[in-house]
Amino acid sequence: MDPIRPFRWDLIRPDQLGSMLDDVEVWELFFLDDLIRCAARVLGQCGDGDLYFVGRSVDSLFDVLSGALADTGWSSRLHPLPLSLFGVDGQSVTAGELRQLRTNLAAEGLTPGELMRGRPTVFVDLVYQGSTFENLYGVLRRWIDDEHAQWDVIRRQLRFVGITSRTKTSPNTWRWHQHAEFATDLPASAIRNVSLDPRLWSYFGDYQHKTAASFRRTRWADPEVADPRRDERTRMALAEAVKIVAAARTPKVRRKLAELLTREPAISERWLRELQVSLRR
C-alpha cells in the first residue's frame, strides 16, 4: 500500500508557479500582525519539538512560520499534516481506512517507533471542541498498542497546541481540554492553548480559501489528490499564501517574531534563545 498525500506547492521556492498567479489580486494581509503573535506563542509552547500543522485551518500559521524560519535550523521541524478527522467523520474508521491512514501517517514520520525517538511531536490545530485532536490521539494510541510500543515513553513526547477563539477569561469559561478524555492520559504540560481574535479564528477556520480540498477519509486512498488544483478559488488561496510567506521572510517580520519570543516563559531555555538569535541574523 502506497501513501497518499495531497499536492502542496513549494512556497519558499515558488518558481514552479510560473504565470499562474499573474492576474490574481490579493487583499492586504489584514491578519498578519495577529498571525505573527500567534506564531510566537506556538513556538513558545512547543517544548523544542517538531511541529505538525493538522489539516487546513492552520495553513497560514504554517506559511508564516515556514517563511520566517526558512533560513534557520528549524525549517525542517515544520510539517503540514493534511488530514481531516473532525467530529464523527473521524470516528468508526473502517479497517481499510485505518490501514491507509497508518500508511499515510508513516510517510509523515509518525509511526509509534518514531514517536519514541528524538524531539517531542507537537500537533497544532484550530480547536473548537477538540474532536480532531481526540480522534487523532485515538488513532495513534491504538497503533501504539498494536505495535506494543512504549507508551510510557511516548506519552511524554506528545504535545497538542490548540488555537482557540479568544473569550473573556473567568472561572466558568468553557475550555476544550477540560472535557477531552484523552487529556487525562497525558502530562499536564502536553496540552497547550494559544488564543486568537475570534474574527480571525473564524476567518481561518470557516471562510479562508484553501489551496487543497479537505483530506477526509473518503480521499485518504484517492491518488487524484496528488494532482494540483488550478481553479479560481485555489489560485486566490495560493496567491494569499505566497504573500504570507514572502512577508514572513522579510527582516521586519523576523525581527518582530524574535521580539515576541522574548515574552515567552520558555525564553529562559537555551533552545528558544538560540532560535531567537537565528531569527535576528
Side-chain angles (χ1 to χ4, degrees):
M1 181 178 288
D2 295 325
I4 301 295
R5 197 176 199 278
F7 181 86
R8 184 176 179 87
W9 300 93
D10 182 354
L11 304 184
I12 300 298
R13 291 170 289 275
D15 296 347
Q16 59 184 307
L17 296 174
S19 59
M20 182 178 171
L21 304 180
D22 285 356
D23 60 342
V24 180
E25 293 187 19
V26 184
W27 295 344
E28 288 300 312
L29 302 178
F30 62 92
F31 50 76
L32 185 60
D33 287 345
D34 289 89
L35 192 61
I36 296 167
R37 284 191 287 270
C38 181
R41 294 286 292 128
V42 168
L43 288 175
Q45 299 288 344
C46 79
D48 196 22
D50 288 337
L51 292 93
Y52 287 82
F53 297 83
V54 184
R56 306 182 304 162
S57 296
V58 282
D59 278 356
S60 292
L61 181 59
F62 171 80
D63 291 337
V64 78
L65 281 172
S66 62
L69 302 178
D71 299 320
T72 74
W74 277 67
S75 60
S76 61
R77 295 204 195 188
L78 308 175
H79 311 274
L81 181 61
L83 179 63
S84 176
L85 284 170
F86 179 76
V88 296
D89 195 48
Q91 301 171 3
S92 303
V93 176
T94 68
E97 290 170 339
L98 184 60
R99 284 194 298 273
Q100 184 65 60
L101 178 55
R102 288 182 177 182
T103 299
N104 295 349
L105 291 174
E108 303 289 348
L110 293 172
T111 65
E114 287 168 307
L115 293 177
M116 287 192 296
R117 297 190 290 269
R119 293 182 290 262
T121 298
V122 185
F123 297 106
V124 184
D125 193 14
L126 256 64
V127 170
Y128 177 52
Q129 293 185 327
S131 63
T132 296
F133 279 165
E134 185 95 48
N135 292 331
L136 176 58
Y137 172 85
V139 168
L140 293 174
R141 183 62 196 273
R142 179 178 171 184
W143 196 3
I144 290 164
D145 291 344
D146 288 348
E147 296 285 330
H148 303 291
Q150 292 180 268
W151 170 241
D152 60 324
V153 174
I154 295 174
R155 70 182 294 271
R156 296 193 297 270
Q157 291 285 84
L158 293 178
R159 183 168 289 213
F160 295 82
V161 178
I163 311 299
T164 62
S165 179
R166 187 174 299 134
T167 60
K168 292 183 178 180
T169 302
S170 76
N172 297 321
T173 299
W174 193 93
R175 295 175 174 84
W176 71 271
H177 60 278
Q178 294 175 344
H179 301 268
E181 292 184 8
F182 81 93
T184 61
D185 293 344
L186 300 170
S189 60
I191 307 294
R192 288 288 181 263
N193 291 303
V194 174
S195 67
L196 187 65
D197 181 283
R199 293 167 297 180
L200 296 183
W201 189 96
S202 182
Y203 173 69
F204 293 131
D206 301 322
Y207 299 107
Q208 185 185 40
H209 294 316
K210 305 297 182 181
T211 60
S214 179
F215 197 36
R216 302 175 65 177
R217 61 197 294 179
T218 54
R219 310 198 75 194
W220 291 346
D222 182 2
E224 291 188 5
V225 302
D227 297 329
R229 302 195 310 171
R230 300 176 185 273
D231 59 274
E232 189 62 23
R233 287 193 172 189
T234 298
R235 292 171 67 237
M236 292 173 63
L238 194 53
E240 183 178 76
V242 167
K243 193 168 184 176
I244 292 171
V245 173
R249 300 197 72 179
T250 63
K252 178 181 178 181
V253 169
R254 286 165 57 92
R255 286 195 298 267
K256 178 64 174 177
L257 186 58
E259 176 190 337
L260 289 168
L261 290 180
T262 304
R263 307 176 189 179
E264 293 300 311
I267 198 64
S268 62
E269 300 177 32
R270 180 177 177 179
W271 65 269
L272 192 58
R273 293 197 303 273
E274 290 179 345
L275 173 57
Q276 185 186 52
V277 169
S278 66
L279 282 167
R280 286 173 169 163
R281 287 174 182 157

